[in-house]
């Protein structure tokens, strides 16, 4: 993977000043060994009128796997090949962001001892990244870089140029151009936003990542219109870290607005909190997991399937209860399973705890003999991500083939959407939702499923049960006769 940084100049301000700023001489190619490969800096062109520096990163896929996390006990065996065969050597990601920080650390801090006046000077800049993963597409690339003063060109990369009917990949060819930014600002933008667009990191995200984000985001992140998305993705959607980062960013914003010191604002906020503030209600995702766990306990289930487990939040919650002796997370996405394995820290917990968990790759629309014989299965916020014609296949795979004694299904209640002030009328809650059902539609579907496969079904609200539009989430609890007998016993 590589990127190029170009600038133009004249006799008074030659473009070769870029070499001073980057602390890399245009005549001397530079190489540095990193934990995940080798970084090279070279200059394809360097004269007074135009200068281009290229950062080329050679990724050692084997070293990356050996140093990586989530590959120990309990890891998904199907992920073995994916750890070696992926886009990491070719597409810009957190690997490239780390290389930027390591190779151009002085430039990122705005330090140049040889020419102290250079870092503060704005200059024409052109940055090109040939292959950038963009989860959110070119539109998101523009929303992230545009407010920072960049002119953004993000051209989608075709899956195969010889077969245009296959459509575009999730990668874009990115070109950024600006005349009013310093090089330090540009590098800090890239350091934060490259992993944000990839929406993944190659290392475990810990609390020190908050400090890194705030340092690199100084001067631009507090007022960025996509601040919430940036902090969430940069911190790998770790809720506690994201909340901490947003609170600190809000203090910075308030301090700038009042022209005062951040510490004074922080002390004032703490004093107000100590006087007594209302406790915020638990997020809907937390209440949903609580409702699921309560229903599983009531069913007497010990061996549980989390179908469509995503990044493992429910699996993590179930692990806290020793009554669940075996927990299997299933998802079609290898990336989600990798994140789940990191979240659960299966390579660090004891043998007994790790033995309770399995992570399997699989499609829920195909029968899978590995899923037979379990006490309960959970489909939490899964069915709405399938096209309606695929629902019968999922129904048979779960209720007909796997046939657990108890099945829990949760899905959004579309009637409640009018209570979300930030949700435009007529929109679903998530861009990947293929449909969202009313309470009547969900009950009709669940009733037919139960009748076809010999289950009984009951319904329960999740979240505040509005007298007019119902709860935000609706849950169906399917049980077979054997499950009812087990509960009675």
């Amino acid at each position: 993977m590589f990127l190029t940084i170009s600038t133009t100049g004249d006799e008074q301000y030659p473009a070769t000043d870029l070499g001073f700023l980057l602390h890399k001489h245009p005549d001397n190619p530079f190489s540095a060994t990193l934990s995940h490969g080798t970084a090279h800096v070279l200059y394809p062109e360097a004269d007074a009128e135009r200068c281009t520096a290229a950062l080329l990163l050679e990724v050692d896929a084997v070293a990356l796997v050996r140093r990586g996390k989530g590959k120990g006990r309990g890891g998904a065996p199907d992920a073995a090949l994916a750890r070696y065969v992926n886009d990491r050597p070719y597409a810009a990601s957190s690997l490239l962001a780390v290389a930027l920080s390591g190779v151009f650390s002085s430039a990122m801090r705005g330090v140049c001892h040889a020419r102290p006046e250079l870092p503060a000077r704005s200059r024409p800049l052109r940055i090109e990244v040939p292959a950038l993963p963009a989860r959110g597409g070119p539109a998101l690339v523009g929303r992230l870089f545009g407010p920072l003063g960049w002119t953004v060109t993000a051209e989608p990369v075709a899956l195969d140029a010889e077969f245009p009917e296959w459509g575009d990949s999730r990668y874009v060819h990115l070109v950024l151009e600006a005349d009013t930014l310093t090089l330090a600002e540009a590098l800090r933008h890239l350091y934060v936003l490259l992993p944000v667009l990839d929406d993944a990191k190659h290392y475990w995200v810990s609390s020190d990542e908050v400090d890194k984000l705030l340092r690199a985001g100084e001067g631009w992140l507090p007022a960025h219109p996509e601040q919430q998305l940036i902090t969430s993705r940069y911190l790998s959607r770790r809720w506690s870290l994201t909340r901490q980062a947003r609170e600190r960013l809000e203090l910075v914003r308030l301090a700038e607005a009042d022209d005062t010191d951040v510490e004074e604002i922080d002390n004032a906020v703490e004093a107000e909190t100590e006087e007594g503030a209302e406790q915020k209600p638990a997020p809907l995702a937390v209440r949903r997991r609580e409702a699921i766990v309560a229903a599983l306990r009531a069913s007497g289930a010990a061996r549980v399937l989390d179908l469509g487990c995503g990044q493992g939040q429910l699996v993590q919650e179930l692990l806290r209860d020793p009554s669940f002796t075996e927990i299997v997370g299933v998802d079609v996405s290898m990336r989600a399973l990798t994140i789940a394995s990191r979240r659960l820290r299966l390579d660090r917990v004891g043998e007994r705890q790790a033995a309770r968990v399995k992570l399997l790759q699989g499609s829920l629309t195909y029968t899978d003999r590995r899923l037979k014989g379990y006490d309960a299965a959970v489909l939490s916020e899964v069915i709405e991500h399938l096209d309606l014609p695929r629902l019968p296949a999922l129904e048979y795979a779960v209720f007909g083939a796997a046939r657990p004694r108890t099945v829990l299904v949760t899905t959004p209640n579309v009637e409640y959407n009018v209570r979300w002030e930030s949700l435009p009328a007529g929109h679903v809650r998530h861009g990947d939702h293929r449909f969202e059902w009313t309470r009547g539609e969900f009950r009709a579907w669940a009733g037919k499923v139960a009748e076809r496969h010999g289950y009984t079904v009951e319904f329960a609200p999740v979240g505040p049960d509005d007298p007019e539009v119902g709860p935000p989430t609706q849950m169906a609890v399917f049980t077979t006769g054997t499950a009812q007998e087990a509960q009675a016993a």
Side-chain angles (χ1 to χ4, degrees):
M1 71 179 77
F2 73 97
L3 64 76
T4 58
I5 305 172
S6 302
T7 188
T8 56
D10 50 33
E11 293 183 1
Q12 183 179 4
Y13 301 111
T16 48
D17 285 348
L18 183 64
F20 286 101
L21 288 167
L22 295 175
H23 294 74
K24 304 293 182 288
H25 198 286
D27 294 335
N28 301 322
F30 171 86
S31 296
T33 301
L34 306 175
S35 62
H36 49 270
T38 305
H40 307 276
V41 179
L42 48 95
Y43 289 78
E45 54 185 349
D47 55 43
E49 295 182 354
R50 185 174 177 84
C51 184
T52 298
L55 172 62
L56 173 65
L57 179 60
E58 292 183 296
V59 175
D60 185 340
V62 175
L64 187 62
V65 171
R66 288 174 177 170
R67 293 180 63 88
K69 305 299 182 184
K71 61 181 183 298
R73 300 183 301 273
D78 297 336
L81 182 61
R83 294 202 301 267
Y84 292 93
V85 183
N86 52 52
D87 65 354
R88 288 298 178 239
Y90 315 107
S93 64
S94 61
L95 295 169
L96 190 57
V98 170
L100 280 171
S101 176
V103 175
F104 298 142
S105 58
S106 297
M108 191 176 294
R109 296 196 311 271
V111 175
C112 181
H113 297 297
R115 300 279 299 279
E117 76 283 1
L118 289 182
R121 182 183 301 158
S122 300
R123 63 187 61 251
L125 291 172
R126 184 182 189 275
I127 295 175
E128 183 173 1
V129 185
L132 173 66
R135 297 184 186 274
L140 179 59
V141 179
R143 297 206 310 271
L144 294 180
F145 283 102
L148 301 176
W150 293 102
T151 299
V152 183
T153 303
E155 298 180 352
V157 177
L159 282 170
D160 192 316
E162 296 185 7
F163 299 94
E165 64 273 15
W166 289 1
D168 296 326
S169 68
R170 68 182 181 93
Y171 304 91
V172 298
H173 182 154
L174 176 65
V175 175
L176 302 172
E177 296 176 295
D179 294 325
T180 59
L181 294 173
T182 66
L183 180 63
E185 291 172 327
L187 292 175
R188 289 198 295 267
H189 296 166
L190 291 170
Y191 177 76
V192 172
L193 297 181
L194 289 181
V196 166
L197 283 165
D198 187 26
D199 198 12
K201 286 200 170 184
H202 69 282
Y203 56 88
W204 175 253
V205 174
S206 56
S207 57
D208 62 342
E209 290 297 298
V210 176
D211 294 325
K212 293 179 185 178
L213 174 62
L214 296 181
R215 283 197 300 269
E218 184 178 358
W220 63 271
L221 184 55
H224 198 290
E226 297 291 341
Q227 180 208 109
Q228 183 172 344
L229 180 143
I230 292 170
T231 54
S232 177
R233 286 194 177 189
Y234 184 88
L235 297 170
S236 295
R237 292 182 170 82
R238 294 193 61 186
W239 179 79
S240 60
L241 298 182
T242 302
R243 182 182 63 177
Q244 179 184 343
R246 290 176 186 166
E247 289 175 350
R248 292 171 62 179
L249 286 167
E250 180 62 13
L251 291 177
V252 172
R253 189 191 66 80
L254 291 173
E256 291 177 349
D258 292 346
D259 194 22
T260 187
D261 188 74
V262 172
E263 187 174 352
E264 294 181 17
I265 297 290
D266 195 12
N267 291 338
V269 171
E270 288 182 2
E272 182 179 344
T273 302
E274 289 174 0
E275 290 177 3
E278 293 186 7
Q279 187 175 3
K280 294 183 178 179
L284 180 58
V286 173
R287 299 182 72 167
R288 186 185 303 120
R289 288 194 292 271
E290 290 174 347
I292 290 171
V293 173
L296 289 173
R297 287 172 181 156
S299 74
R303 303 173 66 239
V304 179
L305 298 167
D306 182 8
L307 304 177
C309 67
Q311 299 179 6
Q313 291 93 332
L314 178 59
V315 175
Q316 187 177 42
E317 188 71 25
L318 295 174
L319 267 176
R320 296 191 177 103
D321 189 334
S323 66
F324 301 115
T325 59
E326 184 178 350
I327 307 157
V328 178
V330 183
D331 204 280
V332 72
S333 167
M334 287 307 313
R335 177 175 169 274
L337 292 173
T338 300
I339 295 173
S341 183
R342 289 177 179 174
R343 174 190 296 276
L344 299 170
R345 301 188 180 187
L346 297 177
D347 58 335
R348 301 182 186 181
V349 300
E351 292 281 355
R352 182 177 299 178
Q353 186 80 335
R356 294 171 60 203
V357 182
K358 293 179 184 177
L359 298 177
L360 305 176
Q361 184 187 29
S363 172
L364 302 183
T365 56
Y366 294 91
T367 58
D368 189 336
R369 67 182 64 182
R370 298 175 298 177
L371 308 184
K372 291 185 177 181
Y374 284 84
D375 300 328
V378 179
L379 288 162
S380 178
E381 310 301 286
V382 171
I383 61 172
E384 65 272 11
H385 291 272
L386 273 68
D387 292 318
L388 284 170
R390 301 295 293 164
L391 272 185
L394 176 141
E395 174 191 330
Y396 177 75
V398 176
F399 294 89
R403 198 166 178 76
R405 296 202 314 253
T406 300
V407 182
L408 307 181
V409 180
T410 73
T411 191
N413 168 23
V414 71
E415 297 169 79
Y416 193 88
N417 287 359
V418 296
R419 297 293 188 256
W420 302 114
E421 296 180 0
S422 59
L423 185 65
H427 284 237
V428 293
R429 299 183 197 177
H430 189 281
D432 191 50
H433 286 185
R434 303 302 198 266
F435 62 88
E436 288 178 356
W437 276 335
T438 65
R439 288 168 290 173
E441 290 170 329
F442 181 53
R443 287 171 179 263
W445 173 81
K448 293 177 181 177
V449 170
E451 183 180 352
R452 281 192 288 264
H453 299 283
Y455 284 79
T456 60
V457 61
E458 296 180 354
F459 301 91
V462 179
D465 197 355
D466 189 289
E468 296 181 0
V469 296
T473 296
Q474 45 193 340
M475 179 168 69
V477 181
F478 297 84
T479 54
T480 62
T482 54
Q484 295 165 0
E485 293 167 4
Q487 292 178 41

